Amino acid sequence: MTDTALVIGGTRFIGRHTVSDLLANGYEVAMLNRGTRENPFADDDRVTHVEGDRTNERALRTAKLSAEPDIVIDCVAYHPGDVETAVDVFADVEGYVYVSSGSSYADEEIPKREGETPLQPCTPEQATDESMETYGNRKAEGDRTVFEAAEEGVNATAVRPCIVYGPYDYTERLDYWIDRVLSYDRVVVPGDGQNLWHRAYVEDVASALRVVAERGDPGAAYNVGDRRALTLEETVATIAEVAGTDCEVVPASADALAAGGLEPDDFALYREYPHLLDTCALAGLGWESTPVDEAMARTVAEHREAERDGSEWDPGREAEERVLGVKETL
């Protein structure tokens, strides 16, 4: 008998790849979402669509009755209340997986480890806030909700991705750097280029969600990220290599950036203090990550076919040219 998975979300980025991974591993899939975005699986009879708002308990219960899922992957729980409702509605499924975040960690440790690195606090006001400033707080409180549910016998787990990249990435953060490499032969990177913000290839996040649903320990959280983490300079160089183009990476100090009226934080994927997640617990379940070169090649190939250019992250090429001019005089 074929297992059934319910994906809450399912049409965008992580959810879309999760549906594809589940299908590739023999599942029938149901998606619960509002139906406001194009459904990439509209013509696939292995995928059914239940229209509804995940913040509405009745919609969750309707999806459960319709799909009768063995496992549930919750991609769009952004408030603790969402998780509280979900672990109640899906208390008897074989596996409920909450998509949390590496942002749930409170302390800057290298690496951040599940069960060791403290989580962000969350006040009642933060729990219902909508701003990005409280994103990590809300995700951490969702984690705690999962842990409490597991103590009550619910097969609930959490997966904490770091920055996710890959095909169909609507955030366009990596698209900015790909576009720069494909458009120019010299690319400015902030600082010395050695800053490290751990990233996770989206197909690996999708497989992690399935693996945790199938084999994860109730009440556990699992970090997910590339097994090989790249610095920003290495990221740009890897993009150039898989794209088959020549590109000079030009590190620029804060003083050099100031010549263009720029600061390091003006650049996508810059983080002063390293952010690195320990992924050993997930690997212990048999999960494997895609080699970085292969993941980047797929990402660049899809970028070339898409209309995304990361322009919303663009600090301004004219400003960068001023920085390059200063670098040439040093």
Side-chain angles (χ1 to χ4, degrees):
M1 183 176 178
T2 302
D3 286 339
T4 299
L6 173 64
V7 178
I8 304 177
T11 58
R12 299 184 81 194
F13 201 31
I14 294 176
R16 177 174 181 170
H17 286 277
T18 299
V19 172
S20 294
D21 178 85
L22 289 163
L23 292 173
N25 284 275
Y27 283 84
E28 291 183 352
V29 181
M31 300 188 305
L32 169 66
N33 53 55
R34 293 174 298 176
T36 57
R37 301 185 185 281
E38 183 179 355
N39 179 4
F41 305 101
D43 297 327
D44 194 323
D45 59 10
R46 296 171 299 171
V47 182
T48 59
H49 177 225
V50 181
E51 187 170 321
D53 186 339
R54 71 96 53 240
T55 63
N56 184 298
E57 181 177 349
R58 179 178 293 180
L60 294 181
R61 294 195 181 278
T62 298
K64 181 184 179 184
L65 287 171
S66 174
E68 298 183 341
D70 298 290
I71 63 172
V72 177
I73 310 293
D74 197 346
C75 296
V76 289
Y78 297 125
H79 294 87
D82 298 336
V83 188
E84 291 173 10
T85 302
V87 294
D88 178 51
V89 171
F90 301 112
D92 57 351
V93 301
E94 294 177 14
Y96 166 83
V97 181
Y98 160 58
V99 180
S100 182
S101 170
S103 298
S104 65
Y105 288 112
D107 289 1
E108 294 289 15
E109 299 179 353
I110 306 172
K112 297 177 173 75
R113 292 190 171 94
E114 310 96 322
E116 294 185 25
T117 306
L119 298 179
Q120 297 272 14
C122 186
T123 66
E125 293 76 20
Q126 289 172 326
T128 57
D129 187 55
E130 300 286 345
S131 69
M132 282 305 298
E133 285 73 15
T134 61
Y135 178 77
N137 307 88
R138 290 182 274 121
K139 284 296 187 180
E141 191 65 17
D143 286 341
R144 287 186 282 268
T145 300
V146 163
F147 303 155
E148 292 167 4
E151 291 178 358
E152 299 297 322
V154 180
N155 289 325
T157 51
V159 170
R160 297 178 185 145
C162 44
I163 291 285
V164 184
Y165 71 98
Y168 316 121
D169 180 6
Y170 61 85
T171 74
E172 300 191 22
R173 287 171 292 200
L174 191 61
D175 285 292
Y176 162 75
W177 290 105
I178 298 172
D179 184 74
R180 272 297 189 267
V181 170
L182 297 181
S183 300
Y184 302 101
D185 58 6
R186 303 182 76 200
V187 174
V188 174
V189 297
D192 60 5
Q194 301 308 303
N195 61 290
L196 185 65
W197 196 343
H198 201 178
R199 291 182 287 280
Y201 181 51
V202 66
E203 292 184 20
D204 295 340
V205 176
S207 67
L209 295 171
R210 173 181 50 79
V211 166
V212 169
E214 295 170 342
R215 304 171 216 162
D217 294 326
Y222 296 89
N223 293 334
V224 57
D226 291 345
R227 294 289 286 177
R228 176 183 163 216
L230 300 180
T231 65
L232 188 53
E233 181 175 1
E234 289 172 331
T235 298
V236 174
T238 301
I239 292 169
E241 181 178 356
V242 301
T245 188
D246 293 326
C247 175
E248 179 188 356
V249 179
V250 183
S253 67
D255 288 343
L257 291 174
L262 300 175
E263 299 179 359
D265 288 341
D266 292 331
F267 291 81
L269 301 179
Y270 174 83
R271 193 180 198 274
E272 184 175 0
Y273 193 86
H275 179 71
L276 187 69
L277 304 184
D278 183 343
T279 61
C280 291
L282 182 58
L285 298 180
W287 170 85
E288 296 181 356
S289 70
T290 305
V292 172
D293 291 352
E294 182 179 336
M296 194 66 76
R298 294 181 195 170
T299 302
V300 170
E302 191 273 339
H303 169 92
R304 282 176 153 151
E305 298 297 322
E307 296 180 356
R308 303 183 312 273
D309 59 8
S311 56
E312 68 176 283
W313 302 100
D314 191 348
R317 186 60 186 180
E318 290 184 5
E320 289 181 309
E321 293 288 357
R322 291 195 294 272
V323 174
L324 291 169
V326 169
K327 293 287 290 183
E328 288 174 353
T329 63
L330 296 179

